[in-house]
Structure formats: structure tokens, C-alpha cells
């Protein structure tokens, strides 16, 4: 049998928090002298970091596991670990023919040990885990930084509080230390992460305060945060955003539904009117606000006229971008117990109608940028040539011509390609 060399391959599904968790896993494994490789074939250890938020995401991860069957047959010594939310939510995965062990989100500290020992089964979790001492090394211009883990809100459709546990906030100094280290390493854009980030609280420091402290770090050119909840937007959040030039005017604020009775059944804790009031305030205080949202169609009990209310809300609010989903039953959540489920075909039809309306709004809003001038931070290389940049609202802008990654330029938008503004550099800032 070949000697194991601790080469690992990791594949990540799901949200930004999962991507950040994969960076934590990498940092933990590198500390134990593991080496990352870019294909499963080269690896001694394969980790699939999974998402359980919708059935579709689960199916993709299971498809990935199935595709490893022949590899495992040819190289039976390869260890396969399912990590992330499905490891918590689907303990039955331990019986999958390629799977050796399961590692839920708060168990990663023991991942290396467990993998090396070739133990099977389920790595125990630590409910208080924050990975505060594990700093990630993304070696990029942009990075995520998680400031809370877990969620207490129990929206009735959502599996997250069950897979990721209740909210824990990291100490402010610890967040600042990691942010400084990332900036020293060359990072210029930072996105603070939390399932419900406005609920951040640590010994008198609330979310606007930690935002302020991070924004004041020298060398940080853009600061974003995700995800806000309409139930607990702090009074001073938008003024703090407006006061700090490097905080982007970007708000991701899931609406989920435009119908109050559905919002109540979702256990969201706000009405459409509350939501509209928040948006008015944000648009008043923040220039060129880039507003994105999440919407679920076909929640149990959603009638045609309820769905129409969601369409009307979308037309009224005019989001720059929406992440739109058909409701997916999650075993163990309260919504899964509701009786009046919407037929799959109707859900798909509603989703198509919503996407069509949102797409035309997205296009219209993007096309309004033609001829405008704006400050753009260059964050990477564009696939088809040129550079990827982000403006002061976090909007993606493609730049033609020569530009340095990490620098800010004044850019004039001269055309729109689909929904993406394309611009040319006027001068460096
Ligand atoms: N079905 C469909 N969409 C869901 N989301 C969360 N749970 C479900 C579910 N059971 C969506 C919500 C949330 C986003 C991350 O995923 O819109 O904001
Ligand atoms: Fe899920 Fe609601 Fe928590 Fe978001 S706020 S993670 S939708 S329970």
C-alpha cells in the first residue's frame, strides 16, 4: 500500500460562510503539515464541505460523493470526509459507500487528528466553538471574515440554527487582530460575515461599533458585510456606513416574501411596511445604494394572490439583485410540519415569473450606469480579459485596459454587457 502524504483536496458547496469555513479548515490542516492539492485524484484526503439549506444543494453534494466511487475503488486508502451542514443534518451519510467520517461545522478542530487516525463515524462538536485563534490566509485582495457563528432566529423554513447552532459573537479585539493580519498580508477588501450579522454583540460592542472599528483600520479600501435581518437593523447602522468612506453602500437584506401573513408564518418578525421603511431610510442616507435580497416562492400556504404581492413588492422596491428560491422542505424545521404545501409545478412556475421580472429590473438598473463616472477598486482578472473591479456600492464593474490589482481608479462606464457595466480608466485615485 502507498504511504499517505497528507495531501488534501477540499470542495465547497453553499454560502459565503461555508467558503470561509473551508479557509478555516485549510488553515487548521496546514498547521498539521497537510498540503492542499487541486484534484481529488492526487489527494490522500478528500473533504466535501456541504450545504443543507435546500434539497438542490444536498443533491449536488451527493452527486459529488457518488462520482468518487470509482476513485475510491481504485485507491481504497483515500479517506473521504463529509464536512459542514449535511454532516450534521444527514447522519445517514455515514453509510454512503465512499464516506469514512462526518464532520459538522463546530468539529473542525479535530478534523486533522480524526483523518490521520482513519477513524470513522461522527466527530463530536463543541457548541461554543468560534475558531477565534484560527486566522485564515487567503492570499488574495478580497477576503471574508466571520464575526459571528450560528443563528438564533429560527425562521420556520430554515435549517441553519439546527446545523450551525446558536449565535456566538467573536471578541472585538480578536476580529481586529485577524483583520489587521489580513491587511498586512495585502488584502484590501473585507466582507464581514454572520448569518444574521446585525445581532453581533460582545460586552457592550454592537454591530455598528465593530463595523466602525474595522473600517478605521489603515489600508482597508472596501468593507462589506452580510447578511442583515430586517427585524434588527440598528438605528445608527446607515449613518455609520455613510460616515466611513471605505464601507460600501451595499445592503443584502432578505425580504423572503411580500405578503405579511406569509412573513408571519415564516417567523420573520417584520411586515412589508417595516421593510419599506428600512429601505427608504437606507436610500436616503446612502448614495447609490446597491440592494440585494433573498426571496422564497411557494412557501406552504402561499396562494396565487400572496405570490402576486411578492411580485408587486419586487416591482416597487427595485432590488439591484435577488437570490430567488423555490421553497424546499427541510426535515426538522417548523415549516416542514405545515400541511398546505404548494405543488412543485406551481412553485417552479412562480419562480420563473419572479426571475423574469427581477432580471428586467436588474438590466434596467445596470443600464442606467452608462456614461457615469465612479471610483473602482480593482479586485481581480476578468475571465475574458480586462480586470474585475468594484465601485463604492460593491457593484461589479469590468475594466478595459491596464490597471493594478488593489488600486482605485476613476472609471467612466461606456457600455453595458448584459447586466455588467464596462468602463475605461480615466485616472488613478
Ligand atoms: N427553502 C428555500 N429557500 C430557503 N432558504 C433558506 N431555507 C430555505 C428553504 N427551506 C433561502 C432563504 C435564505 C437563503 C440563504 O436561502 O431565502 O435567506
Ligand atoms: Fe436561517 Fe432566518 Fe437565521 Fe437567516 S435569520 S440563518 S434565514 S433562521
Amino acid at each position: 500500500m502507498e504511504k499517505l502524504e497528507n495531501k488534501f483536496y477540499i470542495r465547497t458547496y453553499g454560502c459565503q460562510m461555508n467558503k470561509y469555513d473551508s479557509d478555516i479548515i485549510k488553515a487548521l490542516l496546514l498547521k498539521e503539515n497537510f498540503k492542499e492539492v487541486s484534484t481529488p485524484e492526487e489527494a490522500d484526503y478528500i473533504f466535501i464541505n456541504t450545504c443543507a439549506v435546500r434539497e438542490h444543494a444536498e443533491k449536488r453534494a451527493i452527486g459529488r460523493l457518488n462520482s468518487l466511487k470509482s476513485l475510491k475503488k481504485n485507491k481504497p486508502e483515500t479517506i473521504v470526509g463529509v464536512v459542514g451542514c449535511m454532516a450534521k443534518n444527514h447522519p445517514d451519510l455515514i453509510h454512503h459507500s465512499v464516506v469514512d467520517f462526518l464532520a459538522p461545522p463546530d468539529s473542525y478542530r479535530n478534523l486533522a487528528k480524526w483523518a490521520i487516525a482513519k477513524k470513522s463515524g461522527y466527530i463530536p462538536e463543541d457548541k461554543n466553538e468560534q475558531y477565534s485563534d484560527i486566522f485564515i490566509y487567503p492570499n488574495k485582495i478580497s477576503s471574508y471574515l466571520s464575526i459571528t457563528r450560528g443563528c438564533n432566529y429560527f425562521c420556520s423554513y430554515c435549517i441553519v440554527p439546527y446545523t450551525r447552532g446558536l449565535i456566538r459573537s467573536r471578541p472585538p479585539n480578536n476580529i481586529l487582530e485577524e483583520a489587521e493580519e489580513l491587511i498586512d498580508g495585502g488584502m484590501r477588501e473585507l466582507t464581514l460575515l454572520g448569518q444574521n450579522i446585525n445581532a453581533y454583540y460582545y460586552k457592550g460592542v454592537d454591530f455598528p461599533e465593530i463595523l466602525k472599528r474595522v473600517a478605521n483600520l489603515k489600508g482597508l479600501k472596501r468593507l462589506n458585510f452580510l447578511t442583515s435581518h430586517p427585524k434588527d437593523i440598528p438605528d445608527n447602522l446607515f449613518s455609520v456606513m455613510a460616515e466611513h468612506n471605505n464601507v460600501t453602500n451595499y445592503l443584502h437584506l432578505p425580504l423572503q416574501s411580500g405578503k405579511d401573513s406569509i412573513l408571519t408564518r415564516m417567523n420573520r418578525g417584520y411586515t412589508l411596511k417595516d421593510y419599506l421603511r428600512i429601505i427608504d431610510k437606507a436610500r436616503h442616507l446612502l448614495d447609490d445604494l446597491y440592494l440585494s435580497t433573498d426571496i422564497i416562492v411557494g412557501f406552504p400556504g402561499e396562494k396565487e394572490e400572496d405570490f402576486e404581492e411578492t411580485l408587486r413588492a419586487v416591482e416597487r422596491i427595485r432590488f439591484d439583485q435577488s437570490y430567488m428560491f423555490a421553497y424546499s422542505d427541510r426535515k426538522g424545521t417548523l415549516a416542514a410540519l405545515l400541511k398546505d404545501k404548494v405543488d412543485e409545478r406551481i412553485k417552479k412556475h412562480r419562480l420563473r415569473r419572479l426571475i423574469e421580472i427581477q432580471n428586467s429590473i436588474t438590466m434596467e438598473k445596470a443600464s442606467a450606469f452608462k456614461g457615469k463616472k465612479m471610483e473602482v477598486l480593482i479586485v481581480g482578472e476578468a475571465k475574458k480579459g480586462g480586470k474585475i473591479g468594484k465601485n463604492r456600492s460593491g457593484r461589479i464593474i469590468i475594466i478595459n485596459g491596464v490597471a493594478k490589482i488593489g488600486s482605485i481608479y476613476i472609471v467612466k462606464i461606456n457600455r453595458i454587457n448584459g447586466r455588467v457595466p464596462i468602463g475605461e480608466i480615466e485616472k488613478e485615485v
Side-chain angles (χ1 to χ4, degrees):
M1 201 164 64
E2 258 180 67
K3 190 178 164 295
L4 292 182
E5 280 186 74
N6 295 354
K7 283 189 246 161
F8 75 96
Y9 166 83
I10 185 159
R11 174 70 203 258
T12 311
Y13 294 92
C15 64
Q16 292 88 348
M17 190 64 92
N18 243 23
K19 295 192 180 114
Y20 179 78
D21 275 5
S22 284
D23 281 341
I24 288 189
I25 291 172
K26 286 179 201 175
L28 283 162
L29 293 174
L30 295 177
K31 264 177 134 179
E32 302 294 330
N33 298 319
F34 279 66
K35 180 170 164 258
E36 187 176 8
V37 291
S38 53
T39 63
E41 288 74 22
E42 300 165 73
D44 306 307
Y45 301 93
I46 298 174
F47 303 114
I48 307 294
N49 192 359
T50 56
C51 167
V53 95
R54 280 172 295 277
E55 194 185 359
H56 179 66
E58 292 189 340
K59 281 196 171 146
R60 284 180 63 207
I62 290 175
R64 190 78 189 133
L65 291 172
N66 291 341
S67 77
L68 294 174
K69 280 182 187 165
S70 63
L71 186 154
K72 185 103 176 180
K73 206 163 158 199
N74 297 333
K75 235 176 112 187
E77 67 276 19
T78 313
I79 304 283
V80 177
V82 172
V83 308
C85 288
M86 281 177 81
K88 174 84 179 180
N89 198 30
H90 280 279
D92 50 310
L93 271 179
I94 197 66
H95 304 302
H96 188 287
S97 62
V98 307
V99 175
D100 293 289
F101 67 84
L102 304 178
D106 293 324
S107 74
Y108 301 148
R109 218 172 268 279
N110 290 319
L111 187 68
K113 222 169 38 197
W114 204 274
I116 291 169
K118 294 191 209 153
K119 275 179 128 175
S120 64
Y122 184 91
I123 310 185
E125 301 153 89
D126 173 355
K127 287 202 169 12
N128 299 315
E129 182 59 85
Q130 299 208 44
Y131 303 108
S132 296
D133 56 319
I134 308 302
F135 291 179
I136 61 166
Y137 302 98
N139 196 19
K140 289 181 297 201
I141 209 79
S142 306
S143 168
Y144 293 122
L145 174 50
S146 162
I147 66 167
T148 68
R149 287 182 78 78
C151 180
N152 284 4
Y153 275 8
F154 291 93
C155 298
S156 62
Y157 50 79
C158 186
I159 197 73
V160 166
Y162 305 94
T163 57
R164 290 189 165 271
L166 300 182
I167 191 166
R168 285 140 281 163
S169 297
R170 282 173 68 176
N173 285 344
N174 175 245
I175 294 168
L176 292 169
E177 212 183 308
E178 180 164 8
E180 270 178 332
E181 203 162 285
L182 285 166
I183 297 168
D184 284 349
M187 195 272 310
R188 293 292 166 261
E189 182 189 35
L190 192 54
T191 301
L192 303 181
L193 293 181
Q195 232 75 44
N196 167 22
I197 201 156
N198 311 126
Y200 175 87
Y201 188 83
Y202 191 93
K203 295 191 181 159
V205 177
D206 62 1
F207 180 63
E209 180 58 31
I210 189 70
L211 187 68
K212 228 189 262 182
R213 293 189 193 178
V214 178
N216 285 334
L217 294 175
K218 271 219 171 63
L220 184 59
K221 296 188 175 173
R222 289 275 193 280
L223 178 57
N224 320 295
F225 59 88
L226 294 170
T227 291
S228 296
H229 194 302
K231 181 158 82 170
D232 59 7
I233 296 283
D235 276 349
N236 60 342
L237 177 63
F238 303 136
S239 51
V240 168
M241 288 170 74
E243 278 157 20
H244 293 80
N245 215 19
N246 57 355
V247 177
T248 50
N249 291 341
Y250 169 55
L251 190 63
H252 180 61
L253 194 67
L255 170 66
Q256 311 295 8
S257 167
K259 174 76 181 178
D260 286 346
S261 59
I262 298 290
L263 288 172
T264 305
R265 285 159 68 94
M266 287 177 162
N267 192 26
R268 289 291 288 174
Y270 56 86
T271 61
L272 177 63
K273 216 167 155 193
D274 297 330
Y275 189 95
L276 295 173
R277 214 176 294 129
I278 296 169
I279 299 309
D280 279 351
K281 185 172 172 188
R283 284 187 166 146
H284 178 69
L285 289 172
L286 303 166
D287 290 339
D288 179 33
L289 176 74
Y290 187 95
L291 178 66
S292 63
T293 200
D294 294 343
I295 296 176
I296 298 176
V297 302
F299 184 80
E302 184 189 71
K303 297 194 198 62
E304 199 57 30
E305 56 267 33
D306 302 334
F307 168 66
E308 301 276 344
E309 295 262 343
T310 298
L311 292 185
R312 272 196 289 279
V314 166
E315 281 167 336
R316 179 168 177 187
I317 299 167
R318 293 178 65 78
F319 297 104
D320 294 275
Q321 193 181 5
S322 297
Y323 301 90
M324 298 162 277
F325 312 105
Y327 168 76
S328 168
D329 231 12
R330 306 285 71 204
K331 226 166 124 200
T333 63
L334 285 175
L337 303 174
L338 296 173
K339 294 236 155 44
D340 36 3
K341 298 278 157 60
V342 176
D343 183 82
E344 283 302 321
R345 280 199 330 269
I346 295 178
K347 281 198 275 190
K348 286 214 173 90
H349 181 67
R350 289 182 188 166
L351 186 59
R352 272 200 301 273
R353 279 183 69 195
L354 174 63
I355 289 174
E356 209 174 292
I357 289 177
Q358 178 58 49
N359 279 352
S360 67
I361 296 171
T362 303
M363 300 278 206
E364 276 169 37
K365 293 197 82 168
S367 59
F369 277 82
K370 205 167 159 191
K372 288 200 173 152
K373 286 186 188 179
M374 58 193 67
E375 252 184 52
V376 175
L377 168 73
I378 309 298
V379 294
E381 306 283 345
K383 273 197 195 119
K384 294 181 186 159
K387 298 275 192 283
I388 303 174
K390 285 192 180 175
N391 75 0
R392 286 262 304 108
S393 305
R395 182 184 286 273
I396 299 279
I397 309 281
I398 301 292
I399 312 292
N400 288 323
V402 185
K404 220 168 53 230
I405 291 177
S407 294
I408 296 183
Y409 299 88
I410 301 291
V411 168
K412 183 167 180 206
I413 306 302
N414 40 27
R415 65 190 179 91
I416 311 292
N417 183 5
R419 55 183 72 188
V420 186
I422 317 273
E424 284 200 356
I425 289 173
E426 297 223 316
K427 61 171 187 211
E428 191 168 351
V429 176

